[in-house]
Amino acid sequence: MATLTTVIVVLTILTLTLTFIVVDAKQKQKLQVPFPILGGGVAAAAKPDFLTESTGKWELLSPNSGVSAMQINLMPTNKILVYDATIYRLSRLQYPKGEPCVPYKDDRTQENKIDCFAHSMEYDLATNQVRALKLTQDPWCSCGGLAPDGSLVSSGGFLDGTRTIRHIGGPECKGNCDWREYKNSLQEDRWYGTQTILPTGDFIVIGGRRAFSYEYLPRQEGLKVDKVFFFPFLYETSDLDENNLYPFTHLSTDGNLFIFSNNRSLLLNPKTNKIVRTFPVLPGGSRNYPASGSSALLPIDLSNQDKNGPYKAEVIVCGGNSHDAFYIAETTKTFRPSLKDCNRMVITDKVVKWETEQMPTSRTMGDCLILPNGQLLFINGAQKGTAGWWDADSPNLRPALYSPEKLNGQRFTEMAPTKISRMYHSTSAVLPSGKIWVAGSNTHDTYKDIDKFPTETRVEGFSPPYLDPILDKYRPTILADFTGKNLKYGHKFEIQFSLPKDLENDNLNKGDIKVTMYFPPFTTHGFSMSQRLLVLNIRTMSTDRNGGYSIIALAPPSGEIAPPGYYLLYVVHRGVPSEGLWVHIDMAI
């Protein structure tokens, strides 16, 4: 027994004194430094998340951003691209002096006029200042997504913009660039369609008003789509008042597309264009525009990346309204209570079913955002009515925080309320800081200053509980100069981070840390397109002689798991995330 004990002790000492080759950042010399591995090569038992009594905090970031935020996307430049519609020729932001106005013909009078108001802007997160951008082909109720090269690609819209493809940003953007528009590039009108990124980095555009089809956007800018695919599912799920617009679309871990329309869903293979599976009907009402529930793909856990078979993919669909709620709102201005249920389904299971629970309050037109620590946030919207002009009431001022790993009935926590109603055409975005950017709300056919719900150009910031200052002593800081930013599928990369000096931080092990990657979505009309969060596999975690930490993590294995492009990388310490760092993943090293 004594001999066996001695052997175990020796093996333990050897394991904890492995020698790593490190580079001294100041001397640029290779040194042999003993680093103890924290938690060993297998997952160590995780301690519970740090607790806080905070229910979040609101602040006003901008009293007037100029353009109501109907459609938004966070860019790798740490700026948010915002646009609404050109048709009403009005906003609260004019083009700067010397910038030519946009000529147009008044449809009512047939007069030639000029439009000097900006209908798109770039919002700088560092300064909360805006820069006017120019759009000429109406992008009202269009869709979009962040391309692998860092550009925003937008498709569809209204009238002259309904078959337009737009680009902004990317490698060819030097300094302050503007929109590049390509009219008549789509095969069909795409008004209220959904755009989703594929494993190849290409985009598919699905649906739209009276568009029972989908098409693939050309990879090369400026080219036109050459083929359209009829999709009977959209016709079959259309009510009298549609309820199948902006279909919820999520890229599953097997490369198929989960598409939810009205109350039905299926899997579409984008390589063969075949339906490979159908799912149970979700009862209770309609979930898509204009009933306008919300949906997300729950965080994808890659912590056991050596497993066989597809990774678990689980969707959540919450809120909405009855199938006839829009008709009643439109014709009588009677607003039915929105739905309160929240439903989950593991779409990679062989046998599937919806699991239902109740939200603290009912919600329509709200956003569902995935937070850096894996929680979800339901924010914005109303408790009565539907999307549409003047078709809702009873703003839902309280966000709801959702912890997906908890038991049914224990997952929701109500947050502190805002004082600003965020109704139809409101949006929100997760920022690198972990804060939530909240803007928009325009329930009218133009900008109105005096109304029950005036047009909103104020921008708020909401700080979830994990940003409570009481937790700052546990908050990691990623050391950007020593962290890999260009990732290759399935390859290891290093992340270095530090923690404040605190007694509780001294007992850190690998199980206390998560590394997450977040794809910033295009958000409009209550749906965040292409949004996904990955929990990476941590192979090893060690300390250096200065008290910092080094993680060797495994990049996602494929484009099915993580489409190529820009992601925000976070280190999460027992539920407390660091500030995000932009990284890029592609096939190339």
Side-chain angles (χ1 to χ4, degrees):
M1 179 64 72
T3 302
L4 179 59
T5 302
T6 302
V7 170
I8 293 173
V9 170
V10 170
L11 289 174
T12 302
I13 293 173
L14 287 173
T15 301
L16 295 175
T17 57
L18 291 176
T19 301
F20 287 78
I21 303 293
V22 300
V23 179
D24 186 289
K26 296 180 180 179
Q27 302 297 327
K28 301 295 183 182
Q29 296 175 344
K30 288 187 177 181
L31 305 173
Q32 295 286 337
V33 182
F35 287 170
I37 294 178
L38 304 174
V42 296
K47 304 181 188 75
D49 286 353
F50 292 111
L51 298 178
T52 171
E53 295 182 357
S54 170
T55 55
K57 179 183 177 182
W58 289 92
E59 60 184 308
L60 185 67
L61 300 180
S62 172
N64 180 18
S65 62
V67 177
S68 190
M70 184 189 299
Q71 292 131 144
I72 66 170
N73 209 122
L74 172 65
M75 305 294 285
T77 56
N78 286 332
K79 296 176 182 179
I80 293 184
L81 263 296
V82 176
Y83 63 86
D84 59 358
T86 65
I87 185 173
Y88 298 111
R89 305 296 175 184
L90 186 67
S91 74
R92 295 179 182 143
L93 178 66
Q94 290 189 299
Y95 294 125
K97 188 176 180 179
E99 179 70 25
C101 297
V102 176
Y104 72 98
K105 178 173 285 189
D106 189 303
D107 289 337
R108 185 175 58 85
T109 66
Q110 296 302 301
E111 294 179 279
N112 291 320
K113 296 183 178 181
I114 58 171
D115 180 2
C116 297
F117 289 96
H119 307 287
S120 177
M121 59 89 167
E122 181 183 67
Y123 187 101
D124 191 322
L125 295 175
T127 64
N128 293 312
Q129 300 299 306
V130 303
R131 179 173 69 89
L133 300 173
K134 185 174 290 185
L135 280 168
T136 63
Q137 311 299 310
D138 199 343
W140 186 21
C141 301
S142 58
C143 51
L146 190 63
D149 66 359
S151 65
L152 177 62
V153 180
S154 162
S155 60
F158 185 62
L159 293 180
D160 57 358
T162 193
R163 298 193 181 192
T164 297
I165 299 177
R166 310 165 192 84
H167 297 253
I168 189 170
E172 65 179 77
C173 178
K174 308 299 181 185
N176 291 335
C177 61
D178 215 324
W179 287 97
R180 308 181 294 275
E181 300 173 281
Y182 303 93
K183 192 175 180 180
N184 295 321
S185 294
L186 297 171
Q187 284 280 326
E188 288 208 297
D189 295 349
R190 299 294 171 190
W191 195 29
Y192 300 96
T194 295
Q195 182 175 317
T196 302
I197 195 167
L198 298 172
T200 57
D202 297 317
F203 290 106
I204 185 174
V205 182
I206 305 171
R209 178 152 287 170
R210 293 177 290 277
F212 309 118
S213 63
Y214 59 88
E215 49 195 297
Y216 298 94
L217 299 188
R219 179 170 298 187
Q220 184 176 336
E221 181 177 333
L223 296 183
K224 295 184 177 182
V225 175
D226 59 5
K227 189 175 183 180
V228 66
F229 296 85
F230 178 54
F231 195 26
F233 174 68
L234 295 178
Y235 179 81
E236 295 163 3
T237 55
S238 181
D239 286 342
L240 175 65
D241 295 311
E242 297 169 305
N243 284 325
N244 66 340
L245 302 180
Y246 283 125
F248 302 145
T249 305
H250 304 294
L251 177 64
S252 182
T253 54
D254 58 7
N256 293 313
L257 290 170
F258 173 85
I259 303 173
F260 187 102
S261 177
N262 198 331
N263 61 357
R264 292 170 51 190
S265 52
L266 53 72
L267 275 184
L268 175 72
N269 186 323
K271 293 180 179 179
T272 64
N273 298 299
K274 302 293 185 183
I275 296 172
V276 296
R277 189 175 189 183
T278 58
F279 295 102
V281 171
L282 179 60
S286 176
R287 313 294 172 162
N288 295 91
Y289 182 95
S292 295
S294 55
S295 178
L297 183 67
L298 295 185
I300 300 170
D301 187 2
L302 305 178
S303 60
N304 183 19
Q305 201 156 347
D306 294 328
K307 63 168 285 187
N308 295 319
Y311 289 92
K312 177 182 175 181
E314 186 171 9
V315 298
I316 188 167
V317 178
C318 304
N321 213 315
S322 61
H323 295 280
D324 57 356
F326 175 72
Y327 174 79
I328 293 172
E330 281 279 288
T331 56
T332 69
K333 294 306 172 187
T334 301
F335 309 123
R336 286 198 166 178
S338 52
L339 299 179
K340 194 177 179 181
D341 61 328
C342 210
N343 308 274
R344 291 167 56 165
M345 182 170 62
V346 181
I347 61 176
T348 46
D349 279 354
K350 291 183 178 180
V351 178
V352 298
K353 64 177 181 179
W354 290 103
E355 177 196 356
T356 300
E357 57 195 311
Q358 298 297 310
M359 297 187 285
T361 54
S362 62
R363 197 179 300 265
T364 178
M365 302 184 295
D367 293 328
C368 177
L369 297 176
I370 312 173
L371 302 181
N373 64 355
Q375 293 177 313
L376 273 62
L377 186 71
F378 294 86
I379 192 167
N380 297 345
Q383 298 183 68
K384 292 182 179 180
T386 68
W389 301 137
W390 303 282
D391 283 343
D393 205 344
S394 301
N396 196 326
L397 302 176
R398 285 186 179 272
L401 191 66
Y402 182 82
S403 300
E405 77 287 351
K406 291 185 178 180
L407 296 176
N408 192 327
Q410 303 175 14
R411 294 168 178 157
F412 280 103
T413 305
E414 279 201 287
M415 296 286 100
T418 179
K419 296 180 180 180
I420 301 177
S421 300
R422 300 292 182 180
M423 305 287 280
Y424 187 41
H425 291 152
S426 61
T427 49
S428 58
V430 177
L431 302 184
S433 64
K435 190 177 293 184
I436 310 303
W437 190 90
V438 183
S441 185
N442 192 4
T443 64
H444 322 105
D445 54 2
T446 184
Y447 280 56
K448 293 186 184 297
D449 297 320
I450 300 175
D451 196 83
K452 185 174 184 179
F453 302 114
T455 303
E456 277 297 345
T457 50
R458 288 179 289 180
V459 176
E460 295 174 284
F462 176 71
S463 297
Y466 57 59
L467 290 178
D468 186 350
I470 201 172
L471 300 178
D472 285 349
K473 61 183 178 180
Y474 309 123
R475 195 172 313 283
T477 299
I478 296 177
L479 306 179
D481 290 343
F482 306 101
T483 294
K485 302 178 192 66
N486 294 303
L487 313 185
K488 184 179 179 182
Y489 290 115
H491 283 229
K492 297 176 184 177
F493 71 105
E494 184 177 14
I495 305 155
Q496 290 193 18
F497 71 96
S498 62
L499 284 172
K501 297 296 182 183
D502 184 88
L503 183 63
E504 197 159 0
N505 292 341
D506 292 342
N507 298 318
L508 188 73
N509 65 50
K510 194 174 74 170
D512 300 329
I513 295 293
K514 290 181 180 178
V515 176
T516 61
M517 280 175 57
Y518 179 72
F519 189 86
F522 179 93
T523 298
T524 189
H525 290 78
F527 183 47
S528 294
M529 302 175 191
S530 299
Q531 179 181 218
R532 67 204 293 118
L533 183 86
L534 313 169
V535 181
L536 300 189
N537 181 301
I538 297 176
R539 289 303 179 94
T540 62
M541 188 172 80
S542 56
T543 59
D544 62 27
R545 60 184 181 180
N546 297 317
Y549 299 88
S550 175
I551 285 174
I552 302 299
L554 205 57
S558 66
E560 285 77 13
I561 303 297
Y566 286 88
Y567 290 73
L568 280 168
L569 182 81
Y570 295 92
V571 172
V572 183
H573 176 209
R574 294 175 61 184
V576 180
S578 67
E579 181 149 344
L581 175 71
W582 286 104
V583 298
H584 188 268
I585 188 165
D586 208 340
M587 297 301 295
I589 297 176

